[in-house]
């Protein structure tokens, strides 16, 4: 038992069509506007700063919620 792959895939029908596909991919790849190093560093710093801020916020919220719940449980005989 196995998977049957048709041998007449459209882009493999002729060698010229396969080469044309690779040339088109290369042409489109050259059109890509890659970000500059400055932009990448700026975005990375932004993500790290936001992750730190969010983790501090969640940590403080967790600490407050834990203490509040402990107080409520002890208040009602837990």
């Amino acid at each position: 038992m196995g998977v049957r792959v048709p041998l007449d895939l459209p882009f493999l029908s002729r060698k010229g069509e396969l080469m044309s596909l690779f040339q088109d991919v290369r042409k489109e790849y050259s059109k890509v506007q890659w970000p500059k190093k400055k932009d990448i560093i700026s975005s990375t710093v932004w993500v790290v700063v936001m992750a730190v801020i969010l983790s501090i916020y969640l940590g403080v919220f967790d600490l407050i919620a834990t203490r509040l719940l402990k107080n409520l449980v002890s208040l009602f005989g837990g």
Side-chain angles (χ1 to χ4, degrees), residues 39-52:
D39 296 334
I40 294 172
I41 292 171
S42 173
S43 297
T44 303
V45 168
W46 177 251
V47 168
V48 170
V49 166
M50 292 307 293
V52 168

Side-chain angles (χ1 to χ4, degrees), residues 2-9 11-12:
V3 177
R4 295 185 119 192
V5 178
L7 297 177
D8 60 344
L9 294 173
F11 59 89
L12 291 178

